[in-house]
Amino acid sequence: MWGSPWRVVGTGSLVRRGSSSTSSRAPEVVLTHERYPVQRLPFSVVSEEDRAAFERMVPGRVIMDPEELEASNVDWLRSMRGCSKVLLRPRTSEEVSHILRYCHERNLAVNTQGGNTGMVGGSVPVFDEIILSTALMNQVISFHDMSGTLVCQAGCVLEELSRHVEERGFVMPLDLGAKGTCHIGGNLATNAGGLRFLRYGSLRGTVLGLEAVLADGTVLNCLMSLRKDNTGYDLKQLFIGSEGTLGVITAVSILCPPKPRAVNVAFLGCPGFAEVLQTFHTCRGMLGEILSAFEFMDATCMQLVGRHLHLASPVQESPFYVLVETSGSRAEHDAEKLSGFLEQLLGSGLVTDGTLATDQRKIKALWALRERITEALSRDGYVYKYDISLPVERLYDLVPDLRARLGPRAKHVVGYGHLGDGNLHLNVTAEAFSAALLGELEPYVYEWTAGQRGSVSAEHGVGFKKRDVLGYSKPPEALHLMRQLKTLLDPKGILNPYKTLPAQA
Amino acid sequence: MWGSPWRVVGTGSLVRRGSSSTSSRAPEVVLTHERYPVQRLPFSVVSEEDRAAFERMVPGRVIMDPEELEASNVDWLRSMRGCSKVLLRPRTSEEVSHILRYCHERNLAVNTQGGNTGMVGGSVPVFDEIILSTALMNQVISFHDMSGTLVCQAGCVLEELSRHVEERGFVMPLDLGAKGTCHIGGNLATNAGGLRFLRYGSLRGTVLGLEAVLADGTVLNCLMSLRKDNTGYDLKQLFIGSEGTLGVITAVSILCPPKPRAVNVAFLGCPGFAEVLQTFHTCRGMLGEILSAFEFMDATCMQLVGRHLHLASPVQESPFYVLVETSGSRAEHDAEKLSGFLEQLLGSGLVTDGTLATDQRKIKALWALRERITEALSRDGYVYKYDISLPVERLYDLVPDLRARLGPRAKHVVGYGHLGDGNLHLNVTAEAFSAALLGELEPYVYEWTAGQRGSVSAEHGVGFKKRDVLGYSKPPEALHLMRQLKTLLDPKGILNPYKTLPAQA
């Protein structure tokens, strides 16, 4: 109850996605082409001569050591495994251009890789594609103090960019659990949503420009730093969200909003999903423009972060939990709005327990409960992941439905996500991958989503795992145009093959 | 001074752009192909048989009356004139599809027209293109009260949509001077910016989906209503800002933010442009998340709205004027923030006079001063219009520079615009069009802009008038890719020819 002392959990540092924290206990990951029905396309195989050519282009940065390659062949969910024999680490767009021109000429397939934190198998090779890593393209090019415009190379780590701009009084317009590892170029290629989407909107609005290298090595410089630019077609949009299949993003220009002076986080327990929705409705009305996040998680999520990560719940056990964040320019105004909101919730019975954090340490601790769910799930076993957009009123219906459908065949079925954006993360865990369980889940989940006119990929993208389900959210005319665009920009199909577009029938 | 009574001007109703208010006094507009060096492309000419076919597709809605055609052949700036002989008024996307399939087959060129309020000659035919009007496609399809998602046909007038959503507690994410006439489909095709851009961002973020009919008649349904959808390439972005050259937008899904409970407008006089910039800086710091517009205009703009529209300045004569709008959820908090901001300005001498409006009528009157500048300019004579993005520190430099350069050859040289977005509207008036004066202005203005790495079209688009200056803001590789996209989507080039893309050498 509100009368009880406000408890706050300890700060746990986020384990970096992409690190090999789980590899010691984990079994070998099955090769993707052994698990899934996929045929290698007739690309060339990297020869001794090719390696020598690459060595001339990026001297000392041609990686062939099997152990080093292992980390880049396997995705961080440990659900996919390629067998690439070569990883390249260019430092400049010119080097990327040389590499692609050569690969295009030689018909060699290329898999661009940022922080390798993707959820849909888009960032690792499926067969022996050359891995083009952006890890060494990690320089900030400029930051403009007046406008908040950051220009940087694609391999900059999101958390480092956050630090850079925060020191200058701004924040990055996006934030996500994988921030310690993911690259900004990968964020754009995925069109990542994340935790600040509700407030600052999509990357399609906040990205001001980008530079991309096309399949044939052409450098396309659209690295503008202007808020408005209507000089013809907005070419940068082609590369945002196309997962490296139309070009390699090498640099980014992004608009950073001013750093809010006051940030508050409330963590609340709700007795049911109807109350979660009502809380959201009340919240939008009373917090208005200072609302910066509205996240929810179910009781099973809380149990799993407790069991696997030893994070304690800061509030009484509840069927649902809500995290509300406010960000504003005047602390006392925000506090007044928030206390009015919390009083209203208390009076109405929408919330049964809650805690409020205003200092940085406690705020981080509360956010960790939400941000580390993905990590907790990955420690629970093999994870079947669904990331869907739905009308907000129906957002949770599928979770109890699936629990009943799967029964004891699933270890856990959980639902959490960005309620404010109508975005559900639906996850099912099991001891190991099983084609039978997959058959229970798919196409059922996709059909259910299509029935609500939802999206079968809200923010995680398509990658390898979702490429054959696009038809649930896109009409045939759209898939046809996607293919035409792919053929126009990458006629030989060398860029991130087997991804994003449906496999040809 | 602040001590003086706060004066507020009378409400003037906005004259609708596109209406023929000026036509009685204005001379005949010269045919575009007589004023500009442009050759008709080898499209077919509309025959009797074609007209009969159209009559079967849109019975009773094939317009051939010369007077009715006149209004659609001439742009509202009265600077361009086509000689189309046929105007079609479809009601549904199916009718648009039939029309385009037929035109594609017959190699007939088509000029899509919304409210005909464009600034760059994009909305009127250059020769005898068929005019495809969206005027009868004006139905709201749905509005979702929980999410604020509006779905409507492309021919809905912006102001009517505003009214529709405001009655339901929301606002349109865009607003512009031409709202009484412009169509939402035209807004998207232009990627219009406008007066709320600073707060709600670009249409690239707020548009959730659209339906477009391709050149061959294919209906592409991307009319999703979800905040997040990463199922493959974001095809809708191709049509936003491409001015009807890649397809005809027939329906729109757009996210409307909640209507702010409190709106305030301050109108301020500043002694110099440095003070305007300082006022903006102070404003962002002190008003933070409630700032919804920061517009500026110079003294000449105020003189022209006074002379031509009889609007009186609400503050003492000043070299510059600033309009600051706040929109928030709690009136007393906003008032407190605003009064702190105004006190700070008073103390610092950044502002020499000001007035504040909190009620709807006065707010409208203050906005009219800024919104009606375009109209005042059009009554001042022939207008050479430039709409450029620049680093905000350099935003005004070009205006005095041009005054010195042109001397008495120009009637007036004025600068105003969306300072918060780095967007200058630079306008030069003269008694009549003169190729010599144009030669003084161009390429000078474009070269100057390119020298600052600015954009030669911030929000008005390219249309016919700016198509040959894209190279000042876009590299050759980008222009090449634009052409490839055009060829892919409209291989015969029938959609809005002579627009957006540079004329072929």
Side-chain angles (χ1 to χ4, degrees), chain B residues 21-54:
Chain B
S21 61
T22 55
S23 63
S24 58
R25 62 167 185 81
E28 184 87 325
V29 180
V30 180
L31 283 166
T32 302
H33 69 261
E34 290 177 1
R35 174 169 290 169
Y36 295 93
V38 55
Q39 292 290 316
R40 188 180 182 285
L41 293 170
F43 298 111
S44 306
V45 173
V46 178
S47 66
E48 262 315 313
E49 215 171 271
D50 296 329
R51 281 192 205 102
F54 292 138

Side-chain angles (χ1 to χ4, degrees), chain A residues 354-376:
Chain A
T355 182
L356 183 66
T358 54
D359 75 82
Q360 190 64 14
R361 199 185 60 84
K362 290 181 188 170
I363 287 172
K364 274 202 167 177
L366 292 178
W367 264 117
L369 292 165
R370 164 64 188 83
E371 287 189 271
R372 296 183 69 189
I373 296 171
T374 314
E375 191 190 337

Side-chain angles (χ1 to χ4, degrees), chain A residues 427-447:
Chain A
N427 285 245
V428 176
T429 62
E431 288 305 340
F433 175 82
S434 136
L437 186 53
L438 189 64
E440 287 293 317
L441 285 163
E442 299 177 16
Y444 184 77
V445 168
Y446 300 124
E447 282 170 356

Side-chain angles (χ1 to χ4, degrees), chain A residues 36-94:
Chain A
Y36 295 93
V38 56
Q39 292 289 315
R40 189 180 181 283
L41 293 169
F43 298 112
S44 304
V45 173
V46 178
S47 67
E48 262 315 312
E49 216 171 89
D50 296 329
R51 282 192 204 102
F54 292 138
E55 188 59 40
R56 287 191 294 276
M57 295 176 208
V58 286
R61 290 170 279 136
V62 179
I63 313 301
M64 291 180 291
D65 173 68
E67 269 187 51
E68 276 195 83
L69 281 168
E70 167 77 7
S72 293
N73 267 315
V74 177
D75 70 324
W76 88 272
L77 285 171
R78 303 186 60 73
S79 63
M80 289 199 39
R81 182 198 195 82
C83 50
S84 177
K85 302 281 187 294
V86 181
L87 181 149
L88 305 175
R89 292 205 180 113
R91 286 209 183 94
T92 65
S93 7
E94 289 66 37

Side-chain angles (χ1 to χ4, degrees), chain B residues 130-152:
Chain B
I130 293 165
I131 301 173
L132 183 71
S133 164
T134 54
L136 299 183
M137 302 178 66
N138 58 357
Q139 300 298 304
V140 170
I141 298 167
S142 67
F143 184 76
H144 190 262
D145 275 355
M146 186 83 173
S147 61
T149 308
L150 172 74
V151 183
C152 65

Side-chain angles (χ1 to χ4, degrees), chain A residues 273 277 390-397 422 452, chain B residues 144 146-147:
Chain A
F273 193 72
L277 286 178
L390 290 168
V392 71
E393 315 86 81
R394 305 293 313 267
L395 198 65
Y396 197 72
D397 292 3
Q452 303 295 326
Chain B
H144 190 262
M146 186 83 173
S147 61

Side-chain angles (χ1 to χ4, degrees), chain A residues 146 228 230 284 389 455 457, chain B residues 146 228 230 284 389 457:
Chain A
M146 186 84 172
K228 290 181 177 172
N230 273 354
R284 279 218 300 195
S389 278
S455 167
S457 179
Chain B
M146 186 83 173
K228 290 180 176 172
N230 273 354
R284 279 217 300 194
S389 278
S457 179

Side-chain angles (χ1 to χ4, degrees), chain A residues 108-186:
Chain A
L108 287 162
V110 176
N111 175 99
T112 306
Q113 188 174 84
N116 192 13
T117 61
M119 299 288 204
V120 287
S123 57
V124 288
V126 174
F127 292 95
D128 58 342
E129 299 92 281
I130 292 164
I131 301 172
L132 183 72
S133 164
T134 54
L136 298 184
M137 301 178 66
N138 58 357
Q139 300 298 303
V140 170
I141 297 166
S142 67
F143 184 77
H144 190 261
D145 275 354
M146 186 84 172
S147 60
T149 308
L150 172 74
V151 182
C152 65
Q153 284 190 297
C156 290
V157 171
L158 179 57
E159 195 167 54
E160 285 164 23
L161 293 176
S162 280
R163 207 173 297 128
H164 186 88
V165 304
E166 287 193 23
E167 283 165 9
R168 288 155 180 85
F170 292 81
V171 294
M172 291 297 288
L174 83 160
D175 186 25
L176 51 152
K179 67 186 118 192
T181 312
C182 64
H183 294 187
I184 189 72

